[in-house]
Amino acid sequence: AQSVAQPEDQVNVAEGNPLTVKCTYSVSGNPYLFWYVQYPNRGLQFLLKYITGDNLVKGSYGFEAEFNKSQTSFHLKKPSALVSDSALYFCAVRDISPMNRDDKIIFGKGTRLHILP
Amino acid sequence: DGGITQSPKYLFRKEGQNVTLSCEQNLNHDAMYWYRQDPGQGLRLIYYSQIVNDFQKGDIAEGYSVSREKKESFPLTVTSAQKNPTAFYLCASSPSGGNTGELFFGEGSRLTVL
Protein backbone atom coordinates (compact mmCIF):
# COMPACT_ATOMS: atom_id res chain seq x y z
CA ALA A 1 0.00 0.00 0.00
CA GLN A 2 1.06 3.57 -0.59
CA SER A 3 2.06 5.75 2.33
CA VAL A 4 3.55 9.12 3.22
CA ALA A 5 5.59 10.16 6.22
CA GLN A 6 6.02 13.60 7.72
CA PRO A 7 9.05 13.35 10.01
CA GLU A 8 8.50 16.64 11.85
CA ASP A 9 5.60 17.22 14.24
CA GLN A 10 6.33 20.94 14.33
CA VAL A 11 8.40 23.45 12.38
CA ASN A 12 9.22 26.96 13.61
CA VAL A 13 10.31 29.64 11.16
CA ALA A 14 10.84 33.37 11.55
CA GLU A 15 8.65 35.59 9.42
CA GLY A 16 10.34 36.46 6.13
CA ASN A 17 12.60 33.39 6.16
CA PRO A 18 12.20 30.50 3.74
CA LEU A 19 10.27 27.51 5.03
CA THR A 20 10.35 23.80 4.28
CA VAL A 21 7.93 21.15 5.47
CA LYS A 22 9.17 17.64 4.78
CA CYS A 23 7.36 14.67 3.29
CA THR A 24 8.63 11.31 2.08
CA TYR A 25 6.58 8.74 0.26
CA SER A 26 6.46 5.03 -0.40
CA VAL A 27 4.57 3.98 -3.51
CA SER A 28 4.57 1.36 -6.20
CA GLY A 29 4.35 2.88 -9.63
CA ASN A 30 4.03 6.58 -10.34
CA PRO A 31 2.98 8.62 -7.33
CA TYR A 32 0.13 11.10 -7.15
CA LEU A 33 1.18 13.44 -4.32
CA PHE A 34 -0.62 16.31 -2.62
CA TRP A 35 -0.29 18.99 0.03
CA TYR A 36 -3.20 20.30 2.07
CA VAL A 37 -3.44 22.97 4.76
CA GLN A 38 -5.78 23.09 7.76
CA TYR A 39 -6.59 26.11 9.89
CA PRO A 40 -8.00 25.58 13.42
CA ASN A 41 -11.40 23.87 13.54
CA ARG A 42 -11.73 23.94 9.76
CA GLY A 43 -11.64 21.45 6.93
CA LEU A 44 -8.57 20.90 4.80
CA GLN A 45 -7.78 23.07 1.81
CA PHE A 46 -5.92 21.83 -1.25
CA LEU A 47 -2.57 23.56 -1.89
CA LEU A 48 -0.93 21.71 -4.76
CA LYS A 49 -0.38 18.36 -6.43
CA TYR A 50 2.19 16.42 -8.40
CA ILE A 51 0.96 14.01 -11.05
CA THR A 52 3.61 14.14 -13.75
CA GLY A 53 5.83 16.66 -15.52
CA ASP A 54 8.00 19.31 -13.89
CA ASN A 55 9.46 18.33 -10.55
CA LEU A 56 8.76 21.79 -9.12
CA VAL A 57 5.06 22.30 -8.60
CA LYS A 58 3.56 25.69 -7.80
CA GLY A 59 0.39 26.03 -5.77
CA SER A 60 -1.80 28.37 -3.78
CA TYR A 61 -0.63 31.19 -1.46
CA GLY A 62 2.90 31.20 -2.89
CA PHE A 63 3.68 27.61 -1.88
CA GLU A 64 5.59 25.19 -4.05
CA ALA A 65 6.78 21.62 -3.69
CA GLU A 66 9.67 19.72 -5.17
CA PHE A 67 9.24 16.14 -6.29
CA ASN A 68 12.47 14.16 -5.91
CA LYS A 69 12.21 10.61 -7.19
CA SER A 70 15.64 9.48 -6.07
CA GLN A 71 15.01 10.61 -2.49
CA THR A 72 11.29 9.71 -2.59
CA SER A 73 10.48 13.13 -1.20
CA PHE A 74 7.91 15.82 -1.85
CA HIS A 75 8.86 18.73 0.42
CA LEU A 76 6.67 21.81 0.68
CA LYS A 77 8.45 25.15 0.38
CA LYS A 78 7.88 28.88 0.42
CA PRO A 79 10.58 31.51 -0.18
CA SER A 80 9.34 33.97 2.45
CA ALA A 81 7.08 32.91 5.32
CA LEU A 82 4.13 34.94 6.60
CA VAL A 83 2.60 34.79 10.07
CA SER A 84 -0.67 33.84 8.37
CA ASP A 85 1.01 30.66 7.05
CA SER A 86 0.84 29.24 10.58
CA ALA A 87 -1.35 26.15 10.30
CA LEU A 88 -1.33 22.35 10.11
CA TYR A 89 0.03 20.93 6.86
CA PHE A 90 -0.69 17.47 5.48
CA CYS A 91 1.09 15.52 2.79
CA ALA A 92 -1.03 12.92 0.99
CA VAL A 93 -0.77 10.21 -1.65
CA ARG A 94 -3.34 8.61 -3.89
CA ASP A 95 -3.59 4.85 -3.31
CA ILE A 96 -5.03 3.07 -6.34
CA SER A 97 -5.67 -0.64 -6.60
CA PRO A 98 -7.76 -1.39 -9.70
CA MET A 99 -8.03 -5.08 -8.85
CA ASN A 100 -10.18 -4.47 -5.77
CA ARG A 101 -11.56 -1.11 -6.88
CA ASP A 102 -9.65 0.81 -4.25
CA ASP A 103 -9.05 4.47 -5.02
CA LYS A 104 -8.42 6.55 -1.93
CA ILE A 105 -6.24 9.31 -0.53
CA ILE A 106 -3.90 8.49 2.35
CA PHE A 107 -2.70 11.32 4.59
CA GLY A 108 0.41 11.80 6.68
CA LYS A 109 0.13 12.72 10.35
CA GLY A 110 0.56 16.41 9.72
CA THR A 111 3.19 19.03 10.56
CA ARG A 112 2.31 22.10 12.57
CA LEU A 113 3.98 25.18 11.14
CA HIS A 114 4.60 28.16 13.43
CA ILE A 115 5.71 31.40 11.83
CA LEU A 116 7.24 33.66 14.45
CA PRO A 117 6.78 37.44 14.06
CA ASP B 1 -22.10 28.50 -4.03
CA GLY B 2 -20.92 24.95 -4.64
CA GLY B 3 -19.40 23.05 -1.78
CA ILE B 4 -19.70 20.48 0.94
CA THR B 5 -21.89 21.00 3.99
CA GLN B 6 -21.43 19.07 7.18
CA SER B 7 -23.85 19.20 10.08
CA PRO B 8 -23.96 19.58 12.94
CA LYS B 9 -20.71 21.42 13.58
CA TYR B 10 -20.70 20.38 17.23
CA LEU B 11 -22.44 17.36 18.72
CA PHE B 12 -22.58 15.87 22.19
CA ARG B 13 -23.59 12.30 22.77
CA LYS B 14 -24.10 10.11 25.77
CA GLU B 15 -22.37 6.76 25.86
CA GLY B 16 -24.45 4.03 24.25
CA GLN B 17 -26.20 6.32 21.80
CA ASN B 18 -25.92 6.21 18.04
CA VAL B 19 -25.45 9.51 16.25
CA THR B 20 -25.57 10.40 12.56
CA LEU B 21 -23.39 13.07 10.95
CA SER B 22 -24.67 14.65 7.77
CA CYS B 23 -22.60 15.38 4.65
CA GLU B 24 -24.13 16.95 1.55
CA GLN B 25 -22.36 18.15 -1.60
CA ASN B 26 -23.60 20.07 -4.64
CA LEU B 27 -20.40 19.72 -6.67
CA ASN B 28 -21.76 16.79 -8.68
CA HIS B 29 -18.85 14.68 -7.47
CA ASP B 30 -19.09 10.91 -7.69
CA ALA B 31 -16.73 10.03 -4.84
CA MET B 32 -17.23 10.87 -1.16
CA TYR B 33 -15.13 10.11 1.90
CA TRP B 34 -15.27 10.19 5.68
CA TYR B 35 -12.13 10.78 7.72
CA ARG B 36 -11.55 10.92 11.44
CA GLN B 37 -8.98 13.33 12.86
CA ASP B 38 -7.37 12.90 16.27
CA PRO B 39 -4.52 15.04 17.63
CA GLY B 40 -1.15 13.71 16.50
CA GLN B 41 -2.66 11.01 14.29
CA GLY B 42 -3.54 12.90 11.17
CA LEU B 43 -6.54 11.83 9.12
CA ARG B 44 -7.67 8.22 9.09
CA LEU B 45 -10.11 6.94 6.50
CA ILE B 46 -13.36 5.49 7.84
CA TYR B 47 -15.45 4.79 4.73
CA TYR B 48 -15.54 5.96 1.15
CA SER B 49 -17.88 5.69 -1.80
CA GLN B 50 -16.95 5.89 -5.47
CA ILE B 51 -20.51 5.74 -6.75
CA VAL B 52 -24.11 5.75 -5.55
CA ASN B 53 -25.25 2.59 -3.74
CA ASP B 54 -21.67 1.39 -3.27
CA PHE B 55 -19.11 2.03 -0.54
CA GLN B 56 -15.91 0.51 0.85
CA LYS B 57 -14.42 0.27 4.31
CA GLY B 58 -11.40 2.36 5.08
CA ASP B 59 -8.75 1.71 7.71
CA ILE B 60 -10.95 2.25 10.80
CA ALA B 61 -14.50 1.26 9.81
CA GLU B 62 -15.34 -0.69 12.97
CA GLY B 63 -18.16 0.96 14.92
CA TYR B 64 -19.26 3.12 11.99
CA SER B 65 -21.81 2.73 9.20
CA VAL B 66 -22.64 4.71 6.06
CA SER B 67 -25.13 4.82 3.23
CA ARG B 68 -25.00 6.31 -0.27
CA GLU B 69 -28.55 6.38 -1.54
CA LYS B 70 -28.10 9.70 -3.35
CA LYS B 71 -25.12 11.16 -5.15
CA GLU B 72 -25.28 14.32 -3.03
CA SER B 73 -25.42 12.67 0.38
CA PHE B 74 -23.10 10.42 2.41
CA PRO B 75 -24.21 10.28 6.07
CA LEU B 76 -22.03 8.65 8.71
CA THR B 77 -23.50 6.89 11.73
CA VAL B 78 -21.30 6.53 14.78
CA THR B 79 -22.69 3.54 16.62
CA SER B 80 -22.46 2.59 20.26
CA ALA B 81 -19.96 -0.07 19.19
CA GLN B 82 -17.34 2.60 18.46
CA LYS B 83 -15.21 2.51 21.60
CA ASN B 84 -13.67 5.96 21.39
CA PRO B 85 -15.88 8.16 19.23
CA THR B 86 -14.80 11.58 20.50
CA ALA B 87 -13.05 13.15 17.50
CA PHE B 88 -13.24 15.64 14.66
CA TYR B 89 -14.95 14.13 11.61
CA LEU B 90 -14.27 15.38 8.11
CA CYS B 91 -16.25 14.64 4.96
CA ALA B 92 -14.75 15.13 1.51
CA SER B 93 -15.64 14.61 -2.11
CA SER B 94 -13.84 14.34 -5.43
CA PRO B 95 -14.75 13.94 -9.08
CA SER B 96 -14.02 10.52 -10.53
CA GLY B 97 -13.51 9.08 -13.96
CA GLY B 98 -9.84 9.88 -14.41
CA ASN B 99 -9.69 12.40 -11.60
CA THR B 100 -6.30 13.19 -10.11
CA GLY B 101 -7.31 12.82 -6.51
CA GLU B 102 -7.91 16.36 -5.30
CA LEU B 103 -10.34 16.33 -2.38
CA PHE B 104 -12.81 19.03 -1.41
CA PHE B 105 -13.49 19.09 2.33
CA GLY B 106 -16.38 20.20 4.50
CA GLU B 107 -15.80 22.25 7.64
CA GLY B 108 -16.00 19.23 9.93
CA SER B 109 -18.16 17.96 12.78
CA ARG B 110 -16.77 17.73 16.29
CA LEU B 111 -18.31 14.87 18.28
CA THR B 112 -17.89 14.69 22.03
CA VAL B 113 -19.07 11.72 24.05
CA LEU B 114 -20.03 12.62 27.60
Side-chain angles (χ1 to χ4, degrees):
Chain A
Q2 327 288 40
S3 65
V4 290
Q6 296 180 242
E8 304 154 315
D9 291 336
Q10 182 168 310
V11 171
N12 297 323
V13 177
E15 187 177 25
N17 283 2
L19 70 86
T20 299
V21 183
K22 295 179 180 178
C23 173
T24 58
Y25 65 88
S26 174
V27 304
S28 54
N30 295 323
Y32 287 24
L33 296 162
F34 309 85
W35 277 100
Y36 287 81
V37 61
Q38 185 182 33
Y39 299 99
N41 295 311
R42 305 291 298 276
L44 277 67
Q45 298 176 33
F46 170 79
L47 279 179
L48 51 79
K49 64 185 176 188
Y50 172 82
I51 305 300
T52 186
D54 289 341
N55 289 341
L56 186 64
V57 179
K58 294 190 182 296
S60 306
Y61 312 121
F63 283 94
E64 57 191 26
E66 186 172 9
F67 172 69
N68 188 318
K69 189 172 184 178
S70 63
Q71 297 185 4
T72 62
S73 67
F74 188 57
H75 300 332
L76 182 70
K77 300 181 179 184
K78 187 172 183 180
S80 179
L82 301 172
V83 172
S84 57
D85 293 330
S86 298
L88 188 57
Y89 290 82
F90 290 95
C91 184
V93 63
R94 188 178 181 192
D95 187 359
I96 307 171
S97 177
M99 286 184 63
N100 57 2
R101 300 185 297 120
D102 267 356
D103 186 355
K104 55 195 179 187
I105 307 297
I106 306 298
F107 287 83
K109 293 189 175 184
T111 298
R112 189 163 298 281
L113 178 63
H114 287 286
I115 307 302
L116 309 171
Chain B
D1 287 348
I4 299 180
T5 302
Q6 290 187 240
S7 63
K9 191 168 178 65
Y10 298 95
L11 185 61
F12 297 89
R13 187 194 94 175
K14 293 182 180 179
E15 283 192 24
Q17 288 181 334
N18 292 355
V19 63
T20 297
L21 307 180
S22 170
C23 179
E24 303 278 333
Q25 55 102 355
N26 60 5
L27 300 168
N28 200 33
H29 286 171
D30 287 314
M32 298 186 74
Y33 307 79
W34 274 105
Y35 288 90
R36 170 181 171 141
Q37 184 176 17
D38 297 281
Q41 296 195 50
L43 273 68
R44 292 182 290 169
L45 183 63
I46 305 172
Y47 269 97
Y48 62 108
S49 168
Q50 298 292 332
I51 197 169
V52 175
N53 291 323
D54 190 27
F55 49 83
Q56 287 82 42
K57 292 182 178 180
D59 300 319
I60 56 165
E62 185 176 351
Y64 299 97
S65 66
V66 293
S67 63
R68 188 81 188 280
E69 298 175 1
K70 298 186 300 182
K71 187 176 186 177
E72 306 81 32
S73 179
F74 192 41
L76 174 73
T77 297
V78 184
T79 75
S80 56
Q82 169 49 232
K83 299 189 184 311
N84 185 20
T86 294
F88 190 51
Y89 291 88
L90 287 161
C91 180
S93 71
S94 70
S96 65
N99 90 90
T100 52
E102 178 183 342
L103 297 180
F104 296 75
F105 280 85
E107 292 295 283
S109 293
R110 187 169 296 280
L111 173 63
T112 302
V113 174
L114 305 173

